[in-house]
Amino acid sequence: DVKVTQSSRYLVKRTGEKVFLECVQDMDHENMFWYRQDPGLGLRLIYFSYDVKMKEKGDIPEGYSVSREKKERFSLILESASTNQTSMYLCASSSWTGSRRYEQYFGPGTRLTVT
Amino acid sequence: AQTVTQSQPEMSVQEAETVTLSCTYDTSESDYYLFWYKQPPSRQMILVIRQEAYKQQNATENRFSVNFQKAAKSFSLKISDSQLGDAAMYFCAYRGNSGGSNYKLTFGKGTLLTVNP
């Protein structure tokens, strides 16, 4: 089974702190994604990566950056956390190939609270 | 840009009954993929079912089936013999197959399904 893990289930940070959210997948997937999930808004894509060191902005990249130094790991960085970044953050991965191509596999999520 | 609309923020169903969740989407592409994802309370999001647009046959997975109407751009999910474990938020998602849309999924805002015993 595909496994996507995220470094923390719950995180509380202060305004202005630099925050790192880590995601690791074990299925050699090429693509990795970061979403934020807010009630009534569904999932919104922040950034995605289709290869090591490659990244593309999603729909709401402002205030975020990402890093993908290894294929299995995709990090989301909040350079200076703000209260409006309080949210659930979901990581996902997918492959270009195989019978289950394009299906995204999700991690358990990190609920971030910025105070 | 593609959009996905789930017009029912909340639905409820009696255990053992059938429920249908609606999803419509807007696209100019002819080749694409559609998905239904399930997110149980405080649990991980998982894929329920997928449909390739070029396939005319509706996908089924056990008690879950879809009604895919390509011309109407409609992709509804039917859950038969509903069980308590089906209670979750359900998201409809679209993936294009060309240009800048071929990396990401576009999600609807979700339908919260309650199953009553």
Side-chain angles (χ1 to χ4, degrees):
Chain A
D1 281 351
V2 176
K3 194 163 186 180
V4 180
T5 57
Q6 296 182 228
S7 51
S8 305
R9 288 301 304 270
Y10 300 94
L11 208 53
V12 180
K13 295 292 182 180
R14 293 195 178 277
T15 302
E17 279 193 83
K18 190 169 186 176
V19 182
F20 293 86
L21 303 183
E22 303 285 335
C23 175
V24 177
Q25 51 95 2
D26 67 356
M27 282 301 293
D28 202 35
H29 282 173
E30 302 88 359
N31 308 309
M32 295 188 75
F33 307 82
W34 275 107
Y35 296 90
R36 65 177 282 175
Q37 182 179 12
D38 300 288
L41 297 179
L43 277 74
R44 295 179 292 167
L45 181 66
I46 304 171
Y47 267 97
F48 63 95
S49 169
Y50 51 90
D51 201 353
V52 175
K53 296 191 186 294
M54 305 303 290
K55 60 186 179 184
E56 291 278 346
K57 292 180 180 179
D59 300 317
I60 52 164
E62 296 79 18
Y64 304 94
S65 62
V66 290
S67 172
R68 193 167 180 201
E69 297 296 320
K70 293 185 178 181
K71 191 175 185 180
E72 68 271 19
R73 188 179 298 270
F74 191 36
S75 302
L76 179 69
I77 303 155
L78 286 66
E79 296 288 342
S80 178
S82 64
T83 55
N84 63 11
Q85 293 179 309
T86 291
S87 186
M88 172 70 85
Y89 290 87
L90 297 178
C91 175
S93 70
S94 72
S95 175
W96 294 118
T97 61
S99 61
R100 306 194 78 87
R101 61 186 179 277
Y102 314 140
E103 292 176 15
Q104 292 192 13
Y105 295 83
F106 285 83
T110 296
R111 185 164 295 281
L112 173 67
T113 302
V114 183
T115 62
Chain B
Q2 290 78 18
T3 57
V4 176
T5 302
Q6 294 178 247
S7 58
Q8 308 149 316
E10 296 184 26
M11 293 278 286
S12 64
V13 63
Q14 292 295 126
E15 199 174 2
E17 298 291 309
T18 295
V19 64
T20 298
L21 308 184
S22 300
C23 173
T24 59
Y25 55 94
D26 184 27
T27 184
S28 58
E29 296 177 295
S30 59
D31 187 19
Y32 49 86
Y33 297 78
L34 295 162
F35 306 89
W36 278 99
Y37 281 86
K38 169 185 177 181
Q39 187 180 38
S42 301
R43 292 181 61 188
Q44 211 145 335
M45 181 145 4
I46 58 173
L47 179 70
V48 175
I49 201 165
R50 65 181 275 162
Q51 175 81 42
E52 283 104 275
Y54 66 86
K55 291 185 178 178
Q56 293 187 337
Q57 187 170 9
N58 289 325
T60 61
E61 287 286 343
N62 301 313
R63 297 182 295 105
F64 297 86
S65 61
V66 298
N67 183 5
F68 173 49
Q69 302 287 329
K70 191 172 184 180
K73 298 179 183 175
S74 171
F75 182 60
S76 60
L77 175 70
K78 186 171 83 170
I79 306 173
S80 304
D81 186 25
S82 297
Q83 300 175 359
L84 295 178
D86 295 333
M89 182 71 86
Y90 287 83
F91 292 97
C92 177
Y94 168 99
R95 183 199 181 275
N97 215 26
S98 63
S101 71
N102 63 351
Y103 292 113
K104 65 176 188 176
L105 296 181
T106 300
F107 286 86
K109 295 183 178 180
T111 296
L112 181 63
L113 178 66
T114 302
V115 181
N116 301 309

